[in-house]
Amino acid sequence: MRLHSVPLTLAGVLVGSLAVAQQSPTAPAGDLVEIHINKIKPGMTRQYEEGRKKHMNWHRQLNDAWSWHTWEIVTGENTGAYVIGTFGHHWSDLDGRTQFEAADTVDAMARMGSALESEMQSYYRFRADLSPSTPPPQPAPLATVTHFLLSPDGLNDFVESAKKVTEGIKKTNYPMSGPSRWYQLMNGGASPHLVLVGDRANWAAFEPATQKSLDSMMEEAYGREQGAAILSSLRKAIRSVSTETIRYRADLSYVAQAK
């Protein structure tokens, strides 16, 4: 078990919108994201963070080709947990990591095992077809995370409607509080599950960028009836919505050197 990282979190949020086997530096970046959630035992946060820093230095000493970014969850039911993610991979990349992962697990357990309450691992896919922006080279200081758990038969309706919302935003130049991106859970949790991540430069950026509602924007973009129908189809596909805020921890992260 590798100790690297709670699942990531309609109106305003919608628009707020890993040395042993290394990834080939000439291979095109993939859309696979590996996410770990670390929940910490009460009173063990300092010990965990000290262990996390030492473990990331282990990755640095071995010149790991994968970057590992760490966030702490600061709002929501998982407040106090940590999210660790590595981005831009292909499923086939995982096949060459077995030996490295075995050594990774040994070091992680030695550094952080005593402070860890639980660990959850999942795989997501970056949905470029839904996203107004691409992942930035440097994570934003803060981010909103909105989880959309959909009805079993609601995925297609939600995706097609979300595409039209993104098109409407572009068509009307609808103001947004920061860049946003969509991810879809592929393995490791309840599904269908899509996640919207919105970058925020600071807490002030959580203020809505406009008082104009999403419904009004869609009416402007598509007309009253079609705009309402698109949003109705999207909302009917949703089983539940939950939100959280995460803060980037550069001191607990490892960024691979460019090749």
Side-chain angles (χ1 to χ4, degrees):
M1 177 182 72
R2 283 171 294 165
L3 305 182
H4 299 291
S5 354
V6 115
L8 305 179
T9 47
L10 207 245
V13 181
L14 256 176
V15 299
S17 341
L18 202 221
V20 178
Q22 293 190 340
Q23 180 183 10
S24 169
T26 59
D31 57 11
L32 185 67
V33 181
E34 182 174 312
I35 292 292
H36 297 254
I37 297 165
N38 289 176
K39 291 187 177 181
I40 315 306
K41 293 177 181 177
M44 297 291 283
T45 296
R46 180 180 60 81
Q47 291 89 334
Y48 171 81
E49 291 195 356
E50 290 176 351
R52 170 60 62 192
K53 290 177 183 178
K54 292 176 181 178
H55 183 60
M56 289 306 191
N57 192 51
W58 179 88
H59 283 270
R60 186 172 296 107
Q61 292 173 340
L62 290 181
N63 196 28
D64 187 3
W66 290 17
S67 293
W68 294 93
H69 298 286
T70 301
W71 293 263
E72 60 176 319
I73 301 176
V74 297
T75 68
E77 63 177 319
N78 293 304
T79 296
Y82 294 79
V83 179
I84 298 87
T86 182
F87 299 75
H89 304 295
H90 301 273
W91 283 108
S92 58
D93 295 341
L94 303 178
D95 292 325
R97 298 278 294 186
T98 304
Q99 185 179 352
F100 188 95
E101 289 172 1
D104 192 353
T105 297
V106 172
D107 188 80
M109 286 299 296
R111 308 288 192 185
M112 297 172 285
S114 62
L116 194 71
E117 181 176 287
S118 67
E119 141 95 0
M120 177 181 176
Q121 178 175 334
S122 302
Y123 289 98
Y124 289 80
R125 181 165 71 91
F126 170 57
R127 294 295 303 258
D129 56 331
L130 299 178
S131 302
S133 67
T134 58
Q138 175 65 28
L142 295 166
T144 62
V145 184
T146 305
H147 303 266
F148 296 90
L149 190 59
L150 309 180
S151 59
D153 60 350
L155 179 59
N156 290 339
D157 287 343
F158 185 92
V159 167
E160 292 307 310
S161 298
K163 288 180 181 179
K164 293 176 182 176
V165 171
T166 298
E167 292 171 4
I169 291 171
K170 295 177 180 178
K171 183 185 299 187
T172 62
N173 294 314
Y174 191 68
M176 306 198 321
S177 298
S180 61
R181 297 168 302 285
W182 284 95
Y183 298 88
Q184 181 180 348
L185 178 67
M186 305 306 293
N187 190 278
S191 188
H193 180 185
L194 274 85
V195 175
L196 179 63
V197 178
D199 296 339
R200 297 292 183 270
N202 46 43
W203 285 107
F206 280 71
E207 291 285 353
T210 178
Q211 296 303 311
K212 186 175 183 179
S213 69
L214 184 67
D215 295 75
S216 295
M217 180 278 291
M218 291 295 285
E219 180 177 344
E220 178 184 342
Y222 297 101
R224 178 177 295 181
E225 291 187 4
Q226 185 179 2
I230 292 170
L231 289 179
S232 177
S233 178
L234 186 148
R235 288 164 173 154
K236 287 179 180 179
I238 299 172
R239 210 179 344 158
S240 67
V241 180
S242 64
T243 63
E244 60 197 11
T245 298
I246 56 177
R247 176 186 290 120
Y248 184 60
R249 294 293 301 270
D251 59 325
L252 304 181
S253 300
Y254 162 73
V255 179
Q257 295 299 308
K259 301 295 183 179

